[in-house]
Amino acid sequence: MKLYVAIPVVLLALLIAASGIAGITRGWVLPTNRRPVHRPRLYGWSQLVGAFALCSQQFFVWVPSDPDTRQWGFLSGSALLLTSLIMMMLSHRAGGNRQGSGTP
């Protein structure tokens, strides 16, 4: 197992998971994402799913010796990561070009 690759990715996943837990429990979002996020709890769940996806991808790349298990495990992690991105997209505000509102 290549620890110099796995350890930083798992640490990054832990940071993302901590931010997700803060979003779920307190409704807190990182300052850079506060403006576009409309539903912080959904955003927190998406971060948790993304952190789990990163960890599962690392697990299935480094641990199993069977190539079929490795391939399907990594593919399922990629599907989870895509699900996380879709959830993040759904948690953002619907921004459009508003015409006729606002001051000139």
Side-chain angles (χ1 to χ4, degrees):
M1 184 166 172
K2 309 284 187 203
L3 291 178
Y4 60 88
V5 175
I7 289 175
V9 172
V10 170
L11 288 175
L12 177 68
L14 285 174
L15 287 173
I16 293 171
S19 178
I21 290 171
I24 293 169
T25 59
R26 304 278 185 196
W28 185 82
V29 179
L30 288 170
T32 56
N33 293 339
R34 282 188 189 148
R35 176 174 270 174
V37 172
H38 184 62
R39 289 170 275 208
R41 292 196 185 353
L42 179 62
Y43 190 77
W45 279 110
S46 69
Q47 286 182 321
L48 278 180
V49 170
F52 181 74
L54 286 175
C55 287
S56 70
Q57 282 184 338
Q58 287 301 306
F59 175 80
F60 282 111
V61 164
W62 300 112
V63 174
S65 59
D66 182 33
D68 290 336
T69 305
R70 182 179 295 168
Q71 178 183 9
W72 285 106
F74 192 80
L75 185 63
S76 66
S78 297
L80 278 175
L81 199 57
L82 182 62
T83 303
S84 169
L85 290 173
I86 291 170
M87 288 171 66
M88 281 186 194
M89 184 179 68
L90 291 174
S91 71
H92 279 76
R93 293 185 194 271
N97 294 334
R98 297 191 321 184
Q99 298 175 356
S101 64
T103 58

